[in-house]
Amino acid sequence: MKNTEQQFLNELDTKLWKAADKLRSNMDAANYKHVVLGLIFLKYVSDAFVARQQSIQQQLQDPSHLYYLDPAFYDDDKSYQQEMENELEQRDYYTEENVFWVPKESRWAMLQNKATTPSGEILWQDEKGEDVKMRSVSWLVDNALESIEKHNPKLKTILSRISQYQVEDNRLIELINLFSETSFANPEYQGEKLNLKSKDILGHVYEYFLGQFALAEGKQGGQYYTPKSIVNLIVEMLQPYQGRVYDPAMGSGGFFVSNDKFIENHAKEKHYQAEEQRRQISIYGQESNPTTWKLAAMNMVIRGMDFNFGKQHADSFTNDQHPDLRADFVMANPPFNLKDWWHQSLEKDARWQYGTPPEGNANFAWVQHMLYHLAPTGTMALLLANGSMSSNTSGEGDIRKKLVQEDVVEAMIALPGQLFTNTQIPACIWILSKNKNNGVVFDKTKRNRQGEILFIDARNLGYMKDRVLRDFSEEDTQKIVNTFHNWQYGEDYQDEAGFCFSATLADIEKHDFILTPGRYVGAVAEEDDGIPFAEKMQKLTALLNEQMAEGERLNAQIKANLKGLGYE
């Protein structure tokens, strides 16, 4: 993305958030997000519909196009215009291009126009010819959402109604005007026309608002938001160009969004059409939180991405929505150290191929659930608490040992602290593959990595983006990604003291199957300053003695001063 485009998006983010947050009044961020994100959703589907409608109109007026509507077949301009309007309302024109059908009462222009209608006045006539009267602005928005759901079964039960949050009409009108005044189509910045589509801008705004709400909600908000830099890191490492992608703890769908951007970002480099390549990706997800499940679905719709999130929100362990799925790529950030997850029905479950996970911690339940759903040639990555690399309690050490012995662990990455909005627990990335003697990624073949595990210690990477949160720069991400890929492909990989080490299974057995990278990468070698060790030690010892003597002198002085003040 060009600097001007990035600057435009950054300024737009800040402008919209500040304006929307100012209207929040006394509402909790947890409730307010449904109002704002619901309006962003309505704005997007309406904009996408109008853009398609304009495209259809051009086709209907183009003599060379299949859809051409010849004026010569109509008695007068009125009849022709009437037929044109009828054609523009044909649903098939929209669904064939994966554009959601938006009924008239749900279109943004209608919403903006009718929002200031006094209560009790007639808005329009329904399908039965009966008058529909204005009740409130929140009712108007809910009606728009309900109509979209009615005409698009895929969205059934997904869109949250906003009336329950009791937002004042004047505040809703201000929000509607805020999004109306912002140009999402044909944007310009400092006199330069930008190469950004409405979908790109609205998707970016949606993602930014998700992140801001996660910060505002603290621990609870972090349940549906994984830091973008960590999501991008995992996607770049796995390189999911095509196949089935699965996330059993998907939150708001961040991994799927990043996957979509990955395909677009590498289109020019790999010489393919991004839109065609997207069709080779199938998205499968699951989420137990009903609110977050809806946010994820809306996130996909805003980007025009097809998806299968199961019939309902559900627990991945006790109500698996994709029991027969074998995915080519599995990516997830499940809840760390989840305690309340076990159910009697999980006893002797087929997924526990490496040992039954402890009832008080779901870490290795997630690992095995994901491995169970991984295709024979698939690769997976998940974020877990650092304890998963070394814990031996309740059989966790035995499960980890078997995972290593069965040679499904491919790489371990230790991450720095303060990356997450909702927890200070240090985290790591597990990368696992069922067959390390395979792998063709687009146009490159991986080498045989059987009997090897790559350890990367990234704890010293990153920067503090504010006083609380750490983040990865693009250079940090590329250093980890390039190290992993060079190791996989056998291209210019070298162990680097303090950062990375390629260990054999025998090495790991010597460390009792503990997978903490720090045990393997060693310490960074210090530069030789040319001073012999004995001489250096003598100088340091002399300095230490000098400082200890100075400390004793200062203590005696402090005692004398206290005595002079009457303190013994």
Side-chain angles (χ1 to χ4, degrees):
M1 188 178 292
K2 294 179 181 177
N3 285 337
T4 50
E5 293 172 346
Q6 190 63 60
Q7 288 170 9
F8 166 79
L9 291 175
N10 289 342
E11 289 185 15
L12 179 63
D13 289 340
T14 304
K15 170 191 168 185
L16 292 177
W17 174 258
K18 283 183 177 178
D21 198 44
K22 189 185 295 184
L23 296 171
R24 185 150 62 100
S25 187
N26 296 321
M27 285 189 73
D28 290 336
N31 293 331
Y32 190 61
K33 74 168 177 276
H34 295 294
V35 178
V36 172
L37 296 176
L39 286 173
I40 292 176
F41 173 82
L42 278 175
K43 174 67 171 164
Y44 169 71
V45 293
S46 184
D47 280 8
F49 181 87
V50 170
R52 176 59 181 156
Q53 193 172 60
Q54 291 171 347
S55 175
I56 296 167
Q57 187 165 2
Q58 291 175 356
Q59 294 168 359
L60 291 171
Q61 295 171 334
D62 181 1
S64 65
H65 200 277
L66 180 66
Y67 293 160
Y68 177 56
L69 204 62
D70 192 346
F73 287 101
Y74 299 90
D75 296 333
D76 50 42
D77 286 346
K78 186 177 180 181
S79 300
Y80 174 72
Q81 291 300 326
Q82 183 60 52
E83 185 61 25
M84 177 71 75
E85 289 179 18
N86 292 340
E87 282 294 304
L88 290 175
E89 295 295 322
Q90 293 299 312
R91 181 172 177 155
D92 289 345
Y93 285 135
Y94 302 89
T95 54
E96 69 182 6
E97 291 294 323
N98 201 27
V99 173
F100 281 96
W101 172 257
V102 182
K104 289 182 178 180
E105 64 269 22
S106 302
R107 295 172 196 172
W108 191 263
M110 175 74 82
L111 194 67
Q112 187 183 14
N113 182 44
K114 299 295 185 182
T116 54
T117 304
S119 180
E121 288 200 11
I122 297 173
L123 293 168
W124 56 74
Q125 288 188 323
D126 62 20
E127 296 172 354
K128 298 178 182 178
E130 297 178 356
D131 292 339
V132 176
K133 296 181 179 180
M134 180 66 169
R135 300 180 196 173
S136 65
V137 180
S138 58
W139 171 85
L140 189 68
V141 173
D142 282 353
N143 184 72
L145 293 167
E146 190 173 331
S147 294
I148 289 176
E149 271 193 359
K150 181 180 177 182
H151 288 86
N152 299 278
K154 194 176 182 70
L155 296 175
K156 189 176 180 181
T157 73
I158 284 175
L159 307 180
S160 295
R161 308 299 187 259
I162 70 169
S163 296
Q164 60 185 306
Y165 303 116
Q166 300 178 336
V167 187
E168 298 165 355
D169 279 1
N170 63 319
R171 295 194 183 279
L172 280 174
I173 291 170
E174 286 185 78
L175 278 172
I176 291 168
N177 289 335
L178 169 66
F179 291 119
S180 300
E181 291 166 3
T182 304
S183 176
F184 294 110
N186 304 316
E188 290 187 4
Y189 182 74
Q190 296 180 348
E192 179 184 342
K193 193 169 183 179
L194 303 178
N195 186 30
L196 290 172
K197 299 177 183 177
S198 174
K199 178 181 77 170
D200 300 324
I201 299 171
L202 274 162
H204 177 88
V205 169
Y206 187 92
E207 188 175 3
Y208 175 78
F209 270 63
L210 276 176
Q212 290 302 106
F213 282 124
L215 286 171
E217 291 181 62
K219 185 174 181 179
Q220 183 181 359
Q223 291 177 354
Y224 61 81
Y225 189 79
T226 305
K228 190 193 300 185
S229 60
I230 304 303
V231 174
N232 290 346
L233 170 63
I234 288 175
V235 171
E236 288 283 345
M237 292 179 81
L238 263 56
Q239 300 176 287
Y241 283 105
Q242 60 186 19
R244 294 152 298 194
V245 180
Y246 173 54
D247 183 347
M250 67 183 178
S252 57
F255 280 109
F256 304 132
V257 173
S258 188
N259 195 165
D260 190 61
K261 290 179 180 176
F262 170 84
I263 289 171
E264 186 169 345
N265 292 342
H266 290 273
K268 190 174 181 181
E269 167 198 335
K270 297 293 184 181
H271 308 292
Y272 60 73
Q273 293 294 322
E275 203 55 48
E276 291 181 10
Q277 197 69 28
R278 282 190 182 101
R279 295 191 184 102
Q280 298 186 45
I281 289 286
S282 300
I283 292 172
Y284 298 86
Q286 184 158 347
E287 172 60 41
S288 61
N289 184 297
T291 297
T292 313
W293 186 73
K294 293 178 181 180
L295 289 177
M298 289 168 64
N299 209 358
M300 299 302 101
V301 171
I302 276 180
R303 289 168 171 81
M305 297 164 64
D306 198 17
F307 60 93
N308 182 345
F309 290 166
K311 295 180 180 179
Q312 59 189 4
H313 61 90
D315 183 281
S316 292
F317 296 128
T318 59
N319 189 4
D320 192 345
Q321 294 289 293
H322 309 286
D324 301 321
L325 174 66
R326 296 297 179 268
D328 301 289
F329 301 95
V330 186
M331 300 177 279
N333 173 24
F336 294 170
N337 302 324
L338 186 64
K339 291 180 173 60
D340 188 19
W341 73 280
W342 181 259
H343 189 272
Q344 285 183 338
S345 62
L346 298 174
E347 190 72 43
K348 297 181 180 179
D349 194 286
R351 289 170 287 186
W352 316 145
Q353 296 175 4
Y354 302 89
T356 303
E359 296 181 14
N361 193 318
N363 286 344
F364 284 98
W366 286 114
V367 171
Q368 295 188 82
H369 173 85
M370 291 170 65
L371 272 170
Y372 180 81
H373 283 290
L374 192 64
T377 57
T379 305
M380 58 173 270
L382 80 161
L383 284 152
L384 285 179
N386 275 1
S388 62
M389 299 188 290
S390 58
S391 172
N392 287 314
T393 59
S394 304
E396 288 185 331
D398 294 331
I399 296 174
R400 188 173 56 251
K401 178 179 177 180
K402 193 166 184 182
L403 289 168
V404 173
Q405 290 176 331
E406 294 288 331
D407 205 13
V408 294
V409 181
E410 179 155 18
M412 300 295 302
I413 299 96
L415 298 173
Q418 296 179 268
L419 287 171
F420 299 88
T421 60
N422 61 327
T423 181
Q424 294 300 312
I425 298 174
C428 60
I429 298 174
W430 287 63
I431 296 182
L432 301 98
S433 298
K434 281 191 174 178
N435 184 356
K436 293 194 286 188
N437 185 25
N438 81 92
V440 177
V441 176
F442 205 81
D443 55 356
K444 294 179 70 175
T445 303
K446 299 176 185 177
R447 69 179 180 87
N448 183 356
R449 291 102 54 216
Q450 289 178 317
E452 299 177 36
I453 297 177
L454 177 66
F455 290 92
I456 296 177
D457 190 343
R459 289 177 296 172
N460 293 325
L461 297 185
Y463 66 97
M464 295 303 294
K465 61 188 296 186
D466 54 40
R467 292 191 302 175
V468 178
L469 288 174
R470 180 178 288 272
D471 204 356
F472 277 153
S473 66
E474 189 173 333
E475 291 74 20
D476 295 327
T477 299
Q478 284 308 308
K479 179 173 184 178
I480 299 171
V481 170
N482 291 341
T483 300
F484 179 60
H485 289 165
N486 290 345
W487 176 81
Q488 278 191 317
Y489 298 121
E491 298 176 346
D492 302 322
Y493 170 79
Q494 286 186 337
D495 292 338
E496 180 183 330
F499 179 66
C500 63
F501 182 79
S502 181
T504 64
L505 299 190
D507 293 329
I508 295 161
E509 186 174 1
K510 289 177 185 175
H511 287 278
D512 296 323
F513 299 94
I514 288 175
L515 300 180
T516 306
R519 289 205 173 201
Y520 301 91
V521 303
V524 179
E526 293 186 9
E527 292 185 15
D528 185 2
D529 54 12
I531 302 173
F533 175 77
E535 183 181 339
K536 191 184 297 185
M537 192 65 186
Q538 187 177 7
K539 286 183 177 181
L540 289 172
T541 302
L543 179 61
L544 176 61
N545 290 335
E546 183 182 325
Q547 289 178 342
M548 289 176 69
E550 177 65 10
E552 289 177 5
R553 187 189 69 78
L554 290 172
N555 283 335
Q557 184 65 50
I558 291 170
K559 287 179 181 178
N561 291 341
L562 289 172
K563 190 174 182 180
L565 294 171
Y567 295 97
E568 291 296 334

PDB file of all heavy atoms in Angstrom, residues 523-536:
ATOM      1  N   ALA A 523      22.814 -18.232  24.123  1.00  0.00           N
ATOM      2  CA  ALA A 523      22.943 -16.787  24.364  1.00  0.00           C
ATOM      3  C   ALA A 523      23.667 -16.134  23.203  1.00  0.00           C
ATOM      4  O   ALA A 523      24.450 -16.776  22.495  1.00  0.00           O
ATOM      5  CB  ALA A 523      23.708 -16.545  25.662  1.00  0.00           C
ATOM      6  N   VAL A 524      23.391 -14.862  23.014  1.00  0.00           N
ATOM      7  CA  VAL A 524      24.051 -14.103  21.958  1.00  0.00           C
ATOM      8  C   VAL A 524      25.531 -13.971  22.317  1.00  0.00           C
ATOM      9  O   VAL A 524      25.882 -13.582  23.434  1.00  0.00           O
ATOM     10  CB  VAL A 524      23.433 -12.696  21.810  1.00  0.00           C
ATOM     11  CG1 VAL A 524      24.161 -11.910  20.719  1.00  0.00           C
ATOM     12  CG2 VAL A 524      21.957 -12.817  21.495  1.00  0.00           C
ATOM     13  N   ALA A 525      26.379 -14.318  21.366  1.00  0.00           N
ATOM     14  CA  ALA A 525      27.822 -14.223  21.605  1.00  0.00           C
ATOM     15  C   ALA A 525      28.247 -12.761  21.652  1.00  0.00           C
ATOM     16  O   ALA A 525      27.916 -11.980  20.760  1.00  0.00           O
ATOM     17  CB  ALA A 525      28.578 -14.953  20.495  1.00  0.00           C
ATOM     18  N   GLU A 526      28.963 -12.399  22.704  1.00  0.00           N
ATOM     19  CA  GLU A 526      29.436 -11.023  22.832  1.00  0.00           C
ATOM     20  C   GLU A 526      30.724 -10.837  22.033  1.00  0.00           C
ATOM     21  O   GLU A 526      31.526 -11.763  21.889  1.00  0.00           O
ATOM     22  CB  GLU A 526      29.697 -10.687  24.308  1.00  0.00           C
ATOM     23  CG  GLU A 526      28.427 -10.666  25.145  1.00  0.00           C
ATOM     24  CD  GLU A 526      28.697 -10.178  26.557  1.00  0.00           C
ATOM     25  OE1 GLU A 526      29.820  -9.701  26.813  1.00  0.00           O
ATOM     26  OE2 GLU A 526      27.778 -10.278  27.391  1.00  0.00           O
ATOM     27  N   GLU A 527      30.915  -9.634  21.533  1.00  0.00           N
ATOM     28  CA  GLU A 527      32.112  -9.338  20.763  1.00  0.00           C
ATOM     29  C   GLU A 527      33.345  -9.379  21.662  1.00  0.00           C
ATOM     30  O   GLU A 527      33.320  -8.932  22.809  1.00  0.00           O
ATOM     31  CB  GLU A 527      31.987  -7.950  20.117  1.00  0.00           C
ATOM     32  CG  GLU A 527      30.931  -7.890  19.024  1.00  0.00           C
ATOM     33  CD  GLU A 527      30.933  -6.545  18.336  1.00  0.00           C
ATOM     34  OE1 GLU A 527      31.914  -5.789  18.500  1.00  0.00           O
ATOM     35  OE2 GLU A 527      29.955  -6.254  17.636  1.00  0.00           O
ATOM     36  N   ASP A 528      34.440  -9.899  21.122  1.00  0.00           N
ATOM     37  CA  ASP A 528      35.703  -9.967  21.858  1.00  0.00           C
ATOM     38  C   ASP A 528      36.351  -8.581  21.852  1.00  0.00           C
ATOM     39  O   ASP A 528      36.651  -8.027  20.787  1.00  0.00           O
ATOM     40  CB  ASP A 528      36.621 -10.991  21.178  1.00  0.00           C
ATOM     41  CG  ASP A 528      37.900 -11.210  21.971  1.00  0.00           C
ATOM     42  OD1 ASP A 528      38.036 -10.591  23.045  1.00  0.00           O
ATOM     43  OD2 ASP A 528      38.749 -11.996  21.506  1.00  0.00           O
ATOM     44  N   ASP A 529      36.552  -8.021  23.046  1.00  0.00           N
ATOM     45  CA  ASP A 529      37.145  -6.684  23.122  1.00  0.00           C
ATOM     46  C   ASP A 529      38.671  -6.728  23.193  1.00  0.00           C
ATOM     47  O   ASP A 529      39.334  -5.693  23.369  1.00  0.00           O
ATOM     48  CB  ASP A 529      36.598  -5.910  24.334  1.00  0.00           C
ATOM     49  CG  ASP A 529      36.774  -6.689  25.635  1.00  0.00           C
ATOM     50  OD1 ASP A 529      37.512  -7.703  25.620  1.00  0.00           O
ATOM     51  OD2 ASP A 529      36.186  -6.282  26.650  1.00  0.00           O
ATOM     52  N   GLY A 530      39.241  -7.924  23.077  1.00  0.00           N
ATOM     53  CA  GLY A 530      40.696  -8.051  23.036  1.00  0.00           C
ATOM     54  C   GLY A 530      41.362  -8.072  24.397  1.00  0.00           C
ATOM     55  O   GLY A 530      42.586  -8.234  24.488  1.00  0.00           O
ATOM     56  N   ILE A 531      40.614  -7.885  25.478  1.00  0.00           N
ATOM     57  CA  ILE A 531      41.205  -7.870  26.824  1.00  0.00           C
ATOM     58  C   ILE A 531      41.195  -9.287  27.384  1.00  0.00           C
ATOM     59  O   ILE A 531      40.137  -9.932  27.418  1.00  0.00           O
ATOM     60  CB  ILE A 531      40.420  -6.929  27.761  1.00  0.00           C
ATOM     61  CG1 ILE A 531      40.388  -5.510  27.177  1.00  0.00           C
ATOM     62  CG2 ILE A 531      41.032  -6.915  29.149  1.00  0.00           C
ATOM     63  CD1 ILE A 531      39.502  -4.554  27.957  1.00  0.00           C
ATOM     64  N   PRO A 532      42.344  -9.810  27.805  1.00  0.00           N
ATOM     65  CA  PRO A 532      42.397 -11.175  28.373  1.00  0.00           C
ATOM     66  C   PRO A 532      41.448 -11.304  29.559  1.00  0.00           C
ATOM     67  O   PRO A 532      41.255 -10.347  30.329  1.00  0.00           O
ATOM     68  CB  PRO A 532      43.862 -11.323  28.805  1.00  0.00           C
ATOM     69  CG  PRO A 532      44.607 -10.344  27.963  1.00  0.00           C
ATOM     70  CD  PRO A 532      43.683  -9.189  27.750  1.00  0.00           C
ATOM     71  N   PHE A 533      40.880 -12.505  29.718  1.00  0.00           N
ATOM     72  CA  PHE A 533      39.883 -12.722  30.769  1.00  0.00           C
ATOM     73  C   PHE A 533      40.444 -12.423  32.160  1.00  0.00           C
ATOM     74  O   PHE A 533      39.794 -11.786  32.990  1.00  0.00           O
ATOM     75  CB  PHE A 533      39.371 -14.168  30.715  1.00  0.00           C
ATOM     76  CG  PHE A 533      38.430 -14.515  31.829  1.00  0.00           C
ATOM     77  CD1 PHE A 533      37.110 -14.103  31.810  1.00  0.00           C
ATOM     78  CD2 PHE A 533      38.878 -15.238  32.944  1.00  0.00           C
ATOM     79  CE1 PHE A 533      36.240 -14.411  32.845  1.00  0.00           C
ATOM     80  CE2 PHE A 533      38.018 -15.543  33.979  1.00  0.00           C
ATOM     81  CZ  PHE A 533      36.687 -15.129  33.928  1.00  0.00           C
ATOM     82  N   ALA A 534      41.687 -12.882  32.445  1.00  0.00           N
ATOM     83  CA  ALA A 534      42.275 -12.686  33.783  1.00  0.00           C
ATOM     84  C   ALA A 534      42.414 -11.204  34.106  1.00  0.00           C
ATOM     85  O   ALA A 534      42.122 -10.759  35.229  1.00  0.00           O
ATOM     86  CB  ALA A 534      43.642 -13.371  33.850  1.00  0.00           C
ATOM     87  N   GLU A 535      42.852 -10.434  33.102  1.00  0.00           N
ATOM     88  CA  GLU A 535      43.013  -8.987  33.309  1.00  0.00           C
ATOM     89  C   GLU A 535      41.651  -8.320  33.531  1.00  0.00           C
ATOM     90  O   GLU A 535      41.496  -7.455  34.401  1.00  0.00           O
ATOM     91  CB  GLU A 535      43.718  -8.382  32.094  1.00  0.00           C
ATOM     92  CG  GLU A 535      43.997  -6.885  32.233  1.00  0.00           C
ATOM     93  CD  GLU A 535      44.682  -6.336  30.990  1.00  0.00           C
ATOM     94  OE1 GLU A 535      45.289  -7.129  30.218  1.00  0.00           O
ATOM     95  OE2 GLU A 535      44.595  -5.109  30.783  1.00  0.00           O
ATOM     96  N   LYS A 536      40.656  -8.760  32.715  1.00  0.00           N
ATOM     97  CA  LYS A 536      39.307  -8.190  32.839  1.00  0.00           C
ATOM     98  C   LYS A 536      38.710  -8.515  34.208  1.00  0.00           C
ATOM     99  O   LYS A 536      38.098  -7.656  34.852  1.00  0.00           O
ATOM    100  CB  LYS A 536      38.404  -8.751  31.730  1.00  0.00           C
ATOM    101  CG  LYS A 536      37.066  -8.048  31.603  1.00  0.00           C
ATOM    102  CD  LYS A 536      36.187  -8.714  30.549  1.00  0.00           C
ATOM    103  CE  LYS A 536      36.794  -8.623  29.191  1.00  0.00           C
ATOM    104  NZ  LYS A 536      35.892  -9.167  28.128  1.00  0.00           N
TER     105      LYS A 536
END
